[in-house]
Amino acid sequence: MTVARSKFATSAAALVAVGLTLTACGSRAADTSAGDASASAGASCVDTAGDSIKVGSLNSLSGTMAISEVTVRDSIALAVEQINADGGVLGKQIRIVAEDGASEPTVFAEKAEKLISSDCVAAVFGGWTSSSRKAMLPVFEDRNSLLYYPVQYEGLESSSNIFYTGATTNQQIVPALDYLKEQGVQSLYLVGSDYVFPQTANRIIRAYAEANDIEIKGEDYTPLGSTDFSTIVNKVRTADADAVFNTLNGDSNVAFFREYTNAGLNAAEMPVVSVSIAEEEVVGIGAQNIEGQLTAWNYYQTVDSPENTAFVEAYKAKYGDAKPTSDPMEAAYTSVYLWKNTVEKAGSFDVAAIQEAADGVTFDAPEGTVTIDGDNHHITKTARIGEIRGDGLIYTVWESDGPVDPDPYLETYDWASSLSGN
């Protein structure tokens, strides 16, 4: 069954799966007066009368995802600081209202509502897990506000109220599978956290595997934040797959790779390709426990370009030489500039004007030039496979010929025709 959807259709079933009961509170309406303290349902209370404009930063600063999301918050702040130093957006300085999603989808939804309705922000930057995004999605649609979501995800979604600046499936997972196949991998073991992204990603991986004669020797999930991997690692070891495809998130990766190493497994005998481990997670895991393993992203600190050199220098100057840069925080940094460029193209902070102006907006990002696709609100991205080395950094071992157009519904792949957004 092919994926049937209208432009920007979202999966109602996936939203229900989050376990939320958020419902629409009203229709979209024109902006309320700038002095309103809060917005009525579907209306905007964004104040454009002064010399500043507010935006929201919504990231997990506590809980199991803090290991990953604090740096995203930091990179958003860096982008805002740079833009303000260069004159701001439409002559206005940007003011950040920061909130903690606390690694809980329901908290993300509550804080998104606060930022939009009480703080009257023009846009929100943040979120990490797909559960957090799914929880926030109806809030942004009901309130007709904008979320810039910076993390790679499972695809099969689009919304006119979300700009997806991390990779979708054909820009990360599919290139990783193609790379493994080219390396002669004929069997995989799937390990992931028990929520939306790993489950959907693995459904896509199974469809790819079936079409490419790759055997799936096992599939295990564990709750976010889990630290006991003795049973799973033992199953991985005895399954004797050619490689492991890892969709664990947060600090569970620390426990998994330490147990993996303790079990005598290594990259030479059974490599692991991870899609949620970046430079800051390598620090937490310990390079000695993960050296030689593979990652699939679109950006590494080691990308060789003038734009990335300037970005890395600016980030380290602000936060310290020991602080690495990574894919999600680079995508978050990029998202602020894409918002700025779109606002300036539109000549307005109005949501409808931004949506209308978005198609073709570009930014020379640290990862390379990216461009917004106005039809699905994703961006072009260069796919990269990296190897983790003893210095704790990740080095590109393969990359696509250029930016890959986003295909969130995998419409260009025959083997994906049975997948849906449900």
Side-chain angles (χ1 to χ4, degrees):
M1 179 179 68
T2 57
V3 178
R5 76 192 193 286
S6 61
K7 182 179 177 183
F8 297 123
T10 56
S11 168
L15 294 174
V16 171
V18 178
L20 300 175
T21 57
L22 294 171
T23 57
C25 299
S27 61
R28 296 177 182 177
D31 287 0
T32 57
S33 63
D36 286 352
S38 64
S40 59
S44 170
C45 61
V46 176
D47 184 356
T48 61
D51 59 3
S52 65
I53 190 79
K54 289 190 289 187
V55 301
S57 174
L58 180 49
N59 315 102
S60 291
L61 309 180
S62 60
T64 188
M65 293 306 302
I67 186 176
S68 302
E69 296 190 51
V70 168
T71 58
V72 173
R73 183 273 313 273
D74 291 345
S75 66
I76 292 168
L78 174 63
V80 167
E81 180 181 281
Q82 291 178 337
I83 292 169
N84 282 341
D86 198 34
V89 181
L90 296 183
K92 299 181 187 296
Q93 293 288 287
I94 306 170
R95 292 170 52 201
I96 296 177
V97 182
E99 290 290 349
D100 180 8
S103 304
E104 293 290 343
T106 52
V107 175
F108 270 93
E110 292 164 0
K111 293 299 179 68
E113 177 68 35
K114 172 187 176 293
L115 287 167
I116 298 166
S117 300
S118 298
D119 297 307
C120 302
V121 300
V124 176
F125 301 91
W128 183 292
T129 68
S130 287
S131 295
S132 70
R133 189 191 69 256
K134 293 287 189 184
M136 290 188 288
L137 188 151
V139 177
F140 283 91
E141 291 188 334
D142 293 346
R143 295 295 187 180
N144 194 27
S145 189
L146 296 176
L147 170 66
Y148 285 75
Y149 176 71
V151 185
Q152 45 70 245
Y153 83 114
E154 69 280 359
L156 306 181
E157 179 185 293
S158 58
S159 169
S160 60
N161 294 93
I162 299 180
F163 285 95
Y164 306 77
T165 63
T168 189
T169 316
N170 75 304
Q171 299 166 320
Q172 185 195 33
I173 290 176
V174 174
L177 292 167
D178 287 342
Y179 178 81
L180 291 174
K181 181 182 177 182
E182 290 171 3
Q183 299 302 307
V185 168
Q186 297 179 321
S187 61
L188 290 170
Y189 200 105
L190 310 181
V191 177
S193 298
D194 192 11
Y195 75 103
V196 178
F197 165 63
Q199 292 166 351
T200 305
N202 285 341
R203 186 155 55 90
I204 293 168
I205 291 169
R206 289 196 302 272
Y208 178 100
E210 182 177 355
N212 289 274
D213 297 321
I214 295 174
E215 181 184 0
I216 303 299
K217 290 202 168 185
E219 181 175 348
D220 278 297
Y221 299 95
T222 186
L224 273 171
S226 290
T227 58
D228 183 1
F229 283 90
S230 56
T231 299
I232 288 178
V233 168
N234 186 57
K235 290 168 70 176
V236 169
R237 182 177 56 81
T238 56
D240 196 29
D242 290 338
V244 176
F245 206 106
N246 171 31
T247 53
L248 292 169
N249 253 278
D251 52 12
S252 289
N253 278 300
V254 177
F256 171 74
F257 275 100
R258 287 179 179 174
E259 186 65 35
Y260 176 95
T261 301
N262 290 339
L265 298 172
N266 56 56
E269 295 178 2
M270 189 186 295
V272 179
V273 59
S274 301
V275 291
S276 294
I277 289 179
E279 285 83 346
E280 63 262 33
E281 286 86 9
V282 172
V283 173
I285 294 167
Q288 72 279 7
N289 293 314
I290 201 169
E291 185 175 359
Q293 302 292 5
L294 300 173
T295 64
W297 289 106
N298 309 99
Y299 168 84
Y300 303 115
Q301 180 176 299
T302 55
V303 167
D304 185 13
S305 71
E307 292 81 7
N308 187 46
T309 297
F311 170 62
V312 172
E313 288 178 353
Y315 187 83
K316 289 181 177 293
K318 184 173 177 63
Y319 297 109
D321 287 340
K323 298 289 188 180
T325 58
S326 65
D327 184 289
M329 52 86 77
E330 184 271 346
Y333 173 88
T334 294
S335 71
V336 182
Y337 276 94
L338 287 172
W339 171 75
K340 169 188 178 291
N341 291 352
T342 311
V343 167
E344 292 180 341
K345 179 182 176 183
S348 173
F349 294 101
D350 177 70
V351 169
I354 291 170
Q355 292 166 333
E356 181 66 25
D359 188 48
V361 170
T362 66
F363 175 58
D364 291 330
E367 67 184 83
T369 300
V370 299
T371 305
I372 296 175
D373 184 321
D375 287 335
N376 56 42
H377 279 196
H378 293 67
I379 67 175
T380 62
K381 296 181 79 70
T382 300
R384 291 182 170 96
I385 306 300
E387 180 183 300
I388 300 166
R389 297 186 183 164
D391 60 2
L393 297 179
I394 306 173
Y395 294 82
T396 301
V397 295
W398 175 90
E399 67 179 42
S400 57
D401 292 336
V404 178
D405 290 337
D407 181 11
Y409 292 92
L410 298 173
E411 294 175 321
T412 57
Y413 300 89
D414 290 340
W415 55 263
S417 61
S418 62
L419 298 169
S420 74
N422 296 327

